[in-house]
Amino acid sequence: MRGIGSGLAAAIVLAAATAVAAEPEVRILRGRGSPPPRAVAESPPPVRAFAGERLWLLDEASGRLAACRLDRTSRVGEFRIRCAERRLAPKGS
């Protein structure tokens, strides 16, 4: 029985040593380091555009939304752009 226990203990120690040897080395740097670089926050574009059958322009800074579409004219092959603009309700209302 002791032989099996000793063999099992040796196998566990050997497996642990193999696992430690497989791990990559860890580099430790001492001394004064530099602070990590600051993340640059990108400002959102002043107007965001969404397209589909109509073109939607959203200006979050001023709270305005414009919807534009192509309208046919009395001339063949000519179109004009018509837009309607509305003020958005404030957030949370």
Side-chain angles (χ1 to χ4, degrees), residues 61-84:
S62 66
R64 307 288 295 173
L65 176 70
C68 301
R69 63 187 169 123
L70 286 176
D71 275 346
R72 295 183 185 266
T73 62
S74 59
R75 294 185 157 172
V76 176
E78 286 190 16
F79 296 91
R80 70 174 160 215
I81 298 174
R82 296 191 113 180
C83 295

Side-chain angles (χ1 to χ4, degrees), residues 8-91:
L8 185 58
I12 292 172
V13 170
L14 180 62
T18 305
V20 170
E23 292 179 13
E25 293 182 16
V26 176
R27 179 182 288 178
I28 299 174
L29 302 175
R30 299 185 187 272
R32 188 170 187 204
S34 60
R38 291 184 182 183
V40 178
E42 293 183 23
S43 60
V47 175
R48 295 192 305 176
F50 305 92
E53 287 185 24
R54 295 187 177 173
L55 172 67
W56 298 86
L57 302 170
L58 174 63
D59 185 354
E60 291 181 87
S62 66
R64 307 288 295 173
L65 176 70
C68 301
R69 63 187 169 123
L70 286 176
D71 275 346
R72 295 183 185 266
T73 62
S74 59
R75 294 185 157 172
V76 176
E78 286 190 16
F79 296 91
R80 70 174 160 215
I81 298 174
R82 296 191 113 180
C83 295
E85 190 173 324
R86 298 277 188 251
R87 183 151 184 80
L88 295 174
K91 288 184 180 178

